Amino acid sequence: MAEVSVTQVIWVVFGLLMCYEMFLNGSDSLVEQAESEVSAVKDVVEAEYDSYAEINTEQQAKPPRSGVQIHDSTTEEDLEVEYGTSDYQEDDVYHNQQRTYSRQSQSAGTRSGAGIMINGQPLVIQYCVSCSYKGMFQDFQQKFRYAVPELTVVGENYPAGTMNELIATLISRMQWVAFILLLFGNKIFAYFQITPPGLYYRAQENKFFAGFMIFMLGNNLANMFLSTGAFEISYQGELVWSKLQAGGVPEFPDLLNLLQQRFPA
């Protein structure tokens, strides 16, 4: 079942209202209203960006730790005194687990990574591309590359279903037809000797805005049918985590522990 985001619903409702205003009422102040809406959205985006920049500046202000050398003789208590318990637990859990399981694997003579059985099969993450989950997949891929370098992580789009994909394709085709009629409608209607509907003349009065609305409505409607909200993680043919079932994405330490428990070295 497709997962509809609040942003998509807002854009669709906004587009329908703007189309109603332009095509039925023929309001002269439509462009000014649209500009005010865009300005309001721009203000919100700038506020969010400033908030993010402030948080990022505070994080960068912390003392760098990249130059710290951690030896096997360093105890956990020393690290906690040096950096604090919470910072040590959050930042160095992957380093310690990797070193511990690497030593265990070398002593046992088995091929494993971070306590996970490695047999050449990749860890497969199926995610919703239209939900902008690609960045989240790349984040997991990077963490696995460091914590478990022996494990290959691949990603692919989670299928939305044959019917939903068919509807999204149909919407995309109708979108292109609308663009063609908007640009070359006079010649097309004249060639086939067809009287254009009143809606066509309304669109011709403001081609730029009509094209913008066709683009936004078409894309958002198509994404509504392609959005699954999926982030499914599988290993060795078994489903390890399902966002559709669990309702959320796992934290990396939790996923790593889950793999260690289900596929021990």
Side-chain angles (χ1 to χ4, degrees), residues 14 18 29-40 209 212-213:
F14 172 73
M18 291 298 99
S29 61
L30 182 59
V31 176
E32 297 179 358
Q33 294 178 5
E35 290 177 352
S36 64
E37 294 290 341
V38 172
S39 177
F209 188 78
F212 173 77
M213 296 311 303

Side-chain angles (χ1 to χ4, degrees), residues 155-168:
E156 59 187 28
N157 182 41
Y158 186 84
T162 304
M163 182 59 65
N164 286 356
E165 292 178 355
L166 180 62
I167 295 175

Side-chain angles (χ1 to χ4, degrees), residues 7-79:
T7 304
Q8 292 173 342
V9 174
I10 292 176
W11 272 113
V12 171
V13 174
F14 172 73
L16 292 176
L17 291 176
M18 291 298 99
C19 288
Y20 174 82
E21 183 71 16
M22 180 178 67
F23 296 132
L24 298 185
N25 294 343
S27 175
D28 296 333
S29 61
L30 182 59
V31 176
E32 297 179 358
Q33 294 178 5
E35 290 177 352
S36 64
E37 294 290 341
V38 172
S39 177
V41 173
K42 182 180 178 181
D43 294 339
V44 174
V45 173
E46 290 179 350
E48 292 292 337
Y49 177 80
D50 294 339
S51 177
Y52 170 79
E54 183 179 352
I55 296 175
N56 191 31
T57 302
E58 294 177 356
Q59 292 178 349
Q60 291 179 353
K62 294 182 178 180
R65 301 182 53 196
S66 57
V68 177
Q69 299 293 330
I70 301 177
H71 304 283
D72 291 339
S73 60
T74 303
T75 63
E76 184 173 312
E77 291 77 8
D78 295 335
L79 292 174

Side-chain angles (χ1 to χ4, degrees), residues 4-160:
V4 181
S5 65
V6 177
T7 304
Q8 292 173 342
V9 174
I10 292 176
W11 272 113
V12 171
V13 174
F14 172 73
L16 292 176
L17 291 176
M18 291 298 99
C19 288
Y20 174 82
E21 183 71 16
M22 180 178 67
F23 296 132
L24 298 185
N25 294 343
S27 175
D28 296 333
S29 61
L30 182 59
V31 176
E32 297 179 358
Q33 294 178 5
E35 290 177 352
S36 64
E37 294 290 341
V38 172
S39 177
V41 173
K42 182 180 178 181
D43 294 339
V44 174
V45 173
E46 290 179 350
E48 292 292 337
Y49 177 80
D50 294 339
S51 177
Y52 170 79
E54 183 179 352
I55 296 175
N56 191 31
T57 302
E58 294 177 356
Q59 292 178 349
Q60 291 179 353
K62 294 182 178 180
R65 301 182 53 196
S66 57
V68 177
Q69 299 293 330
I70 301 177
H71 304 283
D72 291 339
S73 60
T74 303
T75 63
E76 184 173 312
E77 291 77 8
D78 295 335
L79 292 174
E80 293 177 0
V81 172
E82 182 72 19
Y83 303 109
T85 304
S86 60
D87 292 340
Y88 165 73
Q89 291 177 347
E90 293 178 359
D91 297 338
D92 295 332
V93 61
Y94 312 127
H95 313 324
N96 294 335
Q97 288 182 350
Q98 184 180 4
R99 290 196 300 271
T100 301
Y101 289 116
S102 177
R103 289 194 295 267
Q104 292 176 353
S105 300
Q106 293 175 1
S107 62
T110 59
R111 183 170 182 266
S112 64
I116 303 173
M117 180 177 59
I118 308 297
N119 61 356
Q121 297 186 22
L123 181 75
V124 181
I125 299 180
Q126 292 181 308
Y127 58 92
C128 175
V129 175
S130 61
C131 302
S132 302
Y133 286 172
K134 185 176 182 179
M136 188 161 49
F137 157 73
Q138 292 175 341
D139 181 61
F140 272 86
Q141 189 180 43
Q142 183 178 4
K143 289 180 179 179
F144 271 111
R145 185 180 295 115
Y146 182 82
V148 195
E150 303 87 353
L151 182 63
T152 302
V153 180
V154 298
E156 59 187 28
N157 182 41
Y158 186 84

